[in-house]
């Protein structure tokens, strides 16, 4: 069968680029990877809030954590990559240098705050609602970028004067005094004089106005606990109040087993929220990540993608978005490219007990031929998978990831992932990775999740395949963090340091992947507050529409139906459109969980439906009120959640396709 032509097209991507200080910051990371030199990393913009000060952090060129972690597997993988790289293939620069001011402008757009500048600044009521829910450190991060953008714009065009956002959103003096959470914009100098919201910090045990509050955070919250209720940047800011707190002596051979404290209102995972709420989560995650890096005096390295030509046919060197689009035409609901799933499946079919399952490469000539045949025959269904050995499939999977024209971790955030290892503690790194995972586009995030889950399954068989967590991290790091192999051409001290950092980040992503797909509770809380503020603008219109709809609905209901829908106090009504019993009044008790409600409906349906639904296929949803839509985990305590969102409706329906 003839091979399909490689059609090309131009794709324009927008994001933002590392600041012009990145080179200076990056040079500080070069040198002997085993040396231990202390130093500080600067931020992209302006000076640090003087009241917050700077953190003196001991860091090394690579990381202490990699001192005992041999890089042999890493460099062996690099050599294998070079053997399988087509040097004749034209390399394209996927990174574009930004014009002056574009960095801050793109940041504001990504954060959902583009209407803070320009002609529409005076009418940006939606942004006011958004800003009103920000924490102190988040507000400072936004303010800094707006100030920098405004200054840059005035320098470029002195005749074009834009309104100062601090004047646009200036609050009355009485409102400023009342608002202890710094909701909205004020000057940084004024914000420095304000006291922290003690009620917020009391929840973290971080009050500074008494002797007990001066204890170290580690003395109050065990190191293995991850606090998702308070902003990560706020937690980092408070650590500066304790002069005796020192940065951790890092050693990845002693990785803690981080855990999430039980949340009675339920843990929210990526994919549990409605698209509109998830869009708000993404904006908040970017602001929070920026604030965290600002507080830790670490440069946040973000880039901007250039316009490049990409293939639109075949399976290799095709963007994930293009692959998924053609896969979904064949199999609706697909979230991960079919070629990637097939390669993983083929590796597992051969057994994960095979020694060196990811380490031993396939023959270079055979891999090249298999790539060409898969490009031509995969979608025709004529490719003979019996000819693919297990080690060939592993090499093809790594080739697929490595040769993506737009990296799996994206052009925009690739260096940000890399810079995670500059953060002072394991907990800070985990927090930053959590926010970065949230920021990834859906297709990249879903593909990364499938890959990490597969790698964990490989590690689970380490007693037989001799592939430990460190081995797997070393082998996969150069495939995820090298853009078109440009970072693999030379090996110097800087490359050694980079290898150590990327391998450690890879190790973190594999080990803590279950935590990384969790949306922090403080961000979900901000989404709820924003929804409440936005709803107030349409209260009158909604009230009238709801009244008219209720009147029409009531006229169509019989007396029996009306009596069935009356819900006594202390009860909630659960709707289940897919079930024969479409609704049920459920009494709220202290120990009632979402899983209990599902079990009640499923038990009643066991003999009344033509198709038996499994518990894993359905979910109880929280809909409306202060949230768009949220899929509840089974351990959610319904009484606590109903108190948090008393106006919500409760509906049982199928889970999103996985």
């Amino acid at each position: 069968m003839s091979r399909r032509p490689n059609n090309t097209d131009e794709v324009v991507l927008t994001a933002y680029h590392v600041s012009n200080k990145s080179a200076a910051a990056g040079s500080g990371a070069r040198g002997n990877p085993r040396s231990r030199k202390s130093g500080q990393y600067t931020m992209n913009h302006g000076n640090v809030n003087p009241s917050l000060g700077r953190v003196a952090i001991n860091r090394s060129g690579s990381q202490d954590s990699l001192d005992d972690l041999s890089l042999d597997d890493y460099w062996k993988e690099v050599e294998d990559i070079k053997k399988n790289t087509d040097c004749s293939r034209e390399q394209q620069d996927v990174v574009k240098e930004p014009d002056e001011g574009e960095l801050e402008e793109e940041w504001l757009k990504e954060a959902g705050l583009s209407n803070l500048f320009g002609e529409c600044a005076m009418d940006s009521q939606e942004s006011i609602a958004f800003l009103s829910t920000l924490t102190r450190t988040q507000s400072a991060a936004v303010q800094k970028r707006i100030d920098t953008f405004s200054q840059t714009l005035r320098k470029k065009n002195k005749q074009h004067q834009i309104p100062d956002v601090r004047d646009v959103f200036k609050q009355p003096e009485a409102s400023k005094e009342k608002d202890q959470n710094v909701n909205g914009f004020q000057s940084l100098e004024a914000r420095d004089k304000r006291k922290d919201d003690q009620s917020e910090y009391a929840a973290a045990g971080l009050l500074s106005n008494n002797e007990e509050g001066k204890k170290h955070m580690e003395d109050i919250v065990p190191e293995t606990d991850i606090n998702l209720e308070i902003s990560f940047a706020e937690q980092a800011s408070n650590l500066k109040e304790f002069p005796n707190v020192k940065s951790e002596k890092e050693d990845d051979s002693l990785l803690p087993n981080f855990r999430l404290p039980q949340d009675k209102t339920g843990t929210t995972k990526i994919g549990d929220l409605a698209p509109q709420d998830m869009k708000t989560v993404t904006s908040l995650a970017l602001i929070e990540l920026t604030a965290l890096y600002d507080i830790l005096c670490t440069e946040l390295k973000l880039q901007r993608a250039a316009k490049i030509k990409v293939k639109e046919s075949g399976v290799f060197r095709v963007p994930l978005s293009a692959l998924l689009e053609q896969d979904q035409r064949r199999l609706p609901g697909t979230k991960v490219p079919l070629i990637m799933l097939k390669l993983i499946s083929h590796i597992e079919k051969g057994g994960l007990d095979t020694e060196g399952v990811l380490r031993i490469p396939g023959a270079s000539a055979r891999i090249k031929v298999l790539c060409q045949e898969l490009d031509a025959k995969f979608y025709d269904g004529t490719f003979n998978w019996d000819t693919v050995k297990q080690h060939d499939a592993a090499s093809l999977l790594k080739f697929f990831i490595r040769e993506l024209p737009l990296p799996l971790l994206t052009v925009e955030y690739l260096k940000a992932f890399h810079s995670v290892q500059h953060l002072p503690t394991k907990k800070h790194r985990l927090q930053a990775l959590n926010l970065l995972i949230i920021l990834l586009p859906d297709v990249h995030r879903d593909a990364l999740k499938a890959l990490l889950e597969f790698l964990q399954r490989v590690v689970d068989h380490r007693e037989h395949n001799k592939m430990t967590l460190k081995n797997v991290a070393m082998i996969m790091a150069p495939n995820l963090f090298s853009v078109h192999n440009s970072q693999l051409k030379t090996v110097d001290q800087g490359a050694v340091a980079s290898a150590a950092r990327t391998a450690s980040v890879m190790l973190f992503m594999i080990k803590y992947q279950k935590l990384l797909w969790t949306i922090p509770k403080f961000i979900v809380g901000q989404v709820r507050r924003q929804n409440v503020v936005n709803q107030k603008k349409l209260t009158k219109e909604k009230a009238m529409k709801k009244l008219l709809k209720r009147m029409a609905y009531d006229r169509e209901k019989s007396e029996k139906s009306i009596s069935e829908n009356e819900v006594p106090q202390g009860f909630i009504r659960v709707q289940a459109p897919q079930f024969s019993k479409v609704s049920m009044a459920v009494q709220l008790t202290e120990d009632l969980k979402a899983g209990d409600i599902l079990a009640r409906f499923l038990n009643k349906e066991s003999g009344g439906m033509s198709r038996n639904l499994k518990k894993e296929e359905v979910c109880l949803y929280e809909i409306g009120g202060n949230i768009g839509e949220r899929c509840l985990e089974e351990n959610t305590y319904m009484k606590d959640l109903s108190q948090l969102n008393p106006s919500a409706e409760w509906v049982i329906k199928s889970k999103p396709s996985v």
Side-chain angles (χ1 to χ4, degrees):
M1 182 172 289
S2 61
R3 185 180 176 185
R4 295 186 181 186
N6 293 336
N7 298 326
T8 60
D9 197 0
E10 291 188 346
V11 176
V12 180
L13 296 105
T14 57
Y16 33 87
H17 195 279
V18 61
S19 72
N20 54 11
K21 297 183 182 180
S22 63
S27 63
R30 297 183 181 273
N32 189 336
R34 298 182 185 273
S35 66
R36 291 174 173 80
K37 296 181 181 180
S38 62
Q40 292 183 340
Y41 287 79
T42 58
M43 296 180 295
N44 299 20
H45 308 274
N47 296 322
V48 184
N49 188 333
S51 69
L52 298 179
R54 289 183 179 272
V55 180
I57 298 169
N58 288 327
R59 299 185 175 95
S60 60
S62 59
Q63 287 295 325
D64 292 342
S65 58
L66 273 298
D67 281 354
D68 299 324
L69 183 55
S70 171
L71 291 172
D72 291 346
D73 283 336
Y74 186 98
W75 298 121
K76 186 177 184 300
E77 183 67 19
V78 169
E79 289 302 316
D80 292 336
I81 290 173
K82 290 180 179 179
K83 292 178 182 178
N84 289 300
T85 298
D86 184 1
C87 298
S88 63
R89 187 171 68 91
E90 180 182 357
Q91 300 289 338
Q92 299 185 77
D93 188 2
V94 298
V95 180
K96 178 182 179 182
E97 291 291 338
D99 295 332
E100 188 177 13
E102 284 186 343
L103 177 65
E104 293 78 13
E105 182 178 3
E106 293 295 342
W107 187 93
L108 290 166
K109 288 180 180 178
E110 292 292 323
L113 297 172
S114 57
N115 54 0
L116 288 179
F117 52 89
E119 297 178 356
C120 61
M122 296 298 294
D123 299 323
S124 52
Q125 295 297 321
E126 185 175 345
S127 290
I128 296 178
F130 183 90
L131 296 169
S132 69
T133 64
L134 298 185
T135 65
R136 173 176 57 92
T137 51
Q138 289 173 348
S139 296
V142 174
Q143 181 71 65
K144 188 183 302 181
R145 273 73 195 171
I146 290 178
D147 288 345
T148 304
F149 172 72
S150 300
Q151 292 170 6
T152 303
L153 196 59
R154 283 194 290 269
K155 288 179 182 178
K156 291 178 65 176
N157 186 1
K158 294 182 179 180
Q159 296 180 350
H160 177 68
Q161 298 294 331
I162 64 173
D164 191 318
V165 292
R166 288 172 290 184
D167 295 331
V168 173
F169 300 112
K170 183 179 292 183
Q171 294 177 309
E173 292 298 324
S175 175
K176 289 182 182 179
E177 295 176 1
K178 183 178 180 180
D179 180 14
Q180 294 297 323
N181 288 320
V182 196
N183 295 334
F185 283 98
Q186 305 169 36
S187 67
L188 290 176
E189 293 79 6
R191 187 180 295 115
D192 294 340
K193 297 177 182 179
R194 302 176 67 98
K195 294 183 179 180
D196 296 332
D197 185 347
Q198 294 190 354
S199 62
E200 183 178 30
Y201 300 139
L206 295 174
L207 287 179
S208 59
N209 60 353
N210 57 62
E211 291 299 322
E212 186 174 345
K214 293 182 180 180
K215 294 180 180 179
H216 295 175
M217 188 179 215
E218 289 78 5
D219 295 335
I220 301 169
V221 180
E223 183 178 306
T224 51
D225 277 351
I226 295 295
N227 188 343
L228 298 183
E229 296 191 4
I230 295 179
S231 159
F232 299 152
E234 294 291 341
Q235 294 180 46
S237 172
N238 268 276
L239 286 177
K240 295 183 178 184
E241 299 179 8
F242 309 107
N244 294 327
V245 174
K246 299 179 181 179
S247 61
E248 295 179 11
K249 196 75 171 181
E250 295 302 307
D251 183 358
D252 280 348
S253 64
L254 300 173
L255 288 172
N257 291 317
F258 287 114
R259 62 177 179 268
L260 299 178
Q262 184 179 13
D263 180 5
K264 284 198 165 186
T265 59
T267 301
T268 305
K269 298 288 186 180
I270 295 174
D272 287 348
L273 295 178
Q276 187 60 38
D277 284 341
M278 193 61 201
K279 182 179 179 181
T280 305
V281 166
T282 303
S283 298
L284 290 167
L286 175 58
I287 296 173
E288 176 65 18
L289 179 69
T290 306
L292 178 63
Y293 272 66
D294 283 356
I295 291 296
L296 297 176
C297 304
T298 303
E299 185 179 28
L300 180 58
K301 299 180 180 181
L302 304 172
Q303 301 184 114
R304 183 177 185 180
K307 182 170 66 174
I308 62 174
K309 293 183 178 181
V310 297
K311 289 172 54 182
E312 289 189 338
S313 62
V315 291
F316 295 104
R317 297 177 180 140
V318 178
L320 286 173
S321 57
L323 280 174
L324 195 64
E325 183 178 346
Q326 58 183 341
D327 288 346
Q328 288 177 340
R329 288 196 292 265
R330 293 170 171 82
L331 187 62
T334 301
K335 290 189 175 183
V336 179
L338 297 177
I339 180 61
M340 184 176 178
L341 293 176
K342 180 60 179 178
L343 289 171
I344 290 174
S345 173
H346 196 76
I347 297 170
E348 293 186 320
K349 182 180 179 181
L352 294 181
D353 289 342
T354 305
E355 185 170 342
V357 62
L358 293 177
R359 183 189 297 113
I360 301 174
S364 299
R366 189 166 63 247
I367 297 302
K368 184 176 181 180
V369 172
L370 289 173
C371 285
Q372 294 173 348
E373 291 184 358
L374 279 167
D375 261 337
K377 300 178 180 179
F378 177 75
Y379 285 116
D380 292 340
T382 58
F383 181 78
N384 183 10
W385 283 96
D386 293 336
T387 63
V388 182
K389 300 178 181 179
Q390 186 183 38
H391 293 300
D392 292 341
S395 294
L396 288 168
L397 176 64
K398 290 185 288 185
F399 180 85
F400 169 80
I401 295 167
R402 185 174 66 248
E403 293 295 320
L404 286 170
L406 303 174
L408 182 59
L409 300 180
T410 72
V411 172
E412 294 82 359
Y413 299 113
L414 184 63
K415 283 196 173 182
F417 275 94
H418 188 285
S419 68
V420 163
Q421 275 302 102
H422 292 310
L423 300 181
T425 71
K426 296 184 181 74
K427 190 174 293 186
H428 291 136
R429 296 171 201 171
L430 185 61
Q431 292 169 340
L433 283 173
N434 182 197
L435 297 170
L436 282 167
I437 293 295
I438 293 174
L439 287 170
L440 291 177
D442 290 347
V443 58
H444 288 257
R445 191 195 306 122
D446 292 337
L448 177 62
K449 190 173 189 294
L451 176 65
L452 294 178
E453 289 174 346
F454 163 68
L455 296 179
Q456 183 59 57
R457 292 194 294 272
V458 172
V459 173
D460 290 341
H461 291 74
R462 58 188 173 275
E463 292 185 4
H464 300 284
N465 60 31
K466 310 303 179 186
M467 298 294 299
T468 66
L469 175 61
K470 294 178 182 179
N471 296 142
V472 174
M474 285 291 174
I475 290 169
M476 295 306 300
N479 292 285
L480 260 73
F481 286 92
S482 298
V483 180
H484 297 158
N485 307 313
S486 60
Q487 299 174 10
L488 305 176
K489 294 179 180 178
T490 60
V491 177
D492 54 18
Q493 289 183 335
V496 174
S498 176
R501 285 194 295 270
T502 55
S504 188
V505 173
M506 189 76 233
L507 186 148
F508 262 58
M509 287 196 292
I510 298 172
K511 180 174 177 62
Y512 299 121
Q513 57 184 282
K514 291 183 179 180
L515 299 179
L516 297 180
W517 263 258
T518 302
I519 302 176
K521 184 177 180 179
F522 70 87
I523 289 183
V524 178
Q526 288 179 293
V527 172
R528 291 183 186 276
R529 291 194 293 275
Q530 287 183 33
N531 288 338
V532 170
V533 173
N534 290 330
Q535 287 169 4
K536 290 181 179 179
K537 297 184 298 181
L538 303 174
T539 299
K540 293 183 179 180
E541 294 181 11
K542 285 188 175 182
M544 181 58 69
K545 290 181 180 179
K546 186 174 181 180
L547 177 60
L548 295 174
K549 185 177 180 180
R550 173 61 65 181
M551 291 172 63
Y553 177 76
D554 288 345
R555 285 195 298 267
E556 297 175 0
K557 296 290 289 182
S558 64
E559 292 295 330
K560 181 178 179 180
S561 298
I562 295 176
S563 63
E564 286 181 351
N565 281 297
E566 292 177 353
V567 182
Q569 187 174 1
F571 286 73
I572 58 172
R573 179 159 293 281
V574 179
Q575 306 291 334
Q578 297 185 62
F579 292 71
S580 57
K581 185 173 180 59
V582 296
S583 69
M584 179 189 298
V586 179
Q587 183 177 9
L588 293 173
T589 60
E590 295 294 336
D591 58 351
L592 178 68
K593 299 180 181 180
D596 300 330
I597 296 177
L598 287 175
R600 293 185 190 182
F601 272 88
L602 290 169
N603 289 337
K604 289 183 177 295
E605 292 297 316
S606 59
M609 291 192 67
S610 58
R611 182 178 74 91
N612 290 327
L613 287 174
K614 297 180 180 179
K615 195 173 184 179
E616 297 77 18
E617 297 177 346
V618 294
C619 180
L620 177 60
Y621 282 80
E622 171 194 6
I623 300 177
N626 53 37
I627 202 76
E629 181 176 294
R630 176 172 171 248
C631 179
L632 304 181
E633 65 171 358
E634 292 185 7
N635 288 329
T636 303
Y637 285 82
M638 296 306 299
K639 185 173 183 179
D640 295 85
L641 182 57
S642 65
Q643 292 173 349
L644 177 64
N645 191 4
S647 301
E649 296 180 356
W650 313 99
V651 180
I652 296 176
K653 59 180 184 176
S654 299
K655 288 183 178 179
S657 59
V658 179

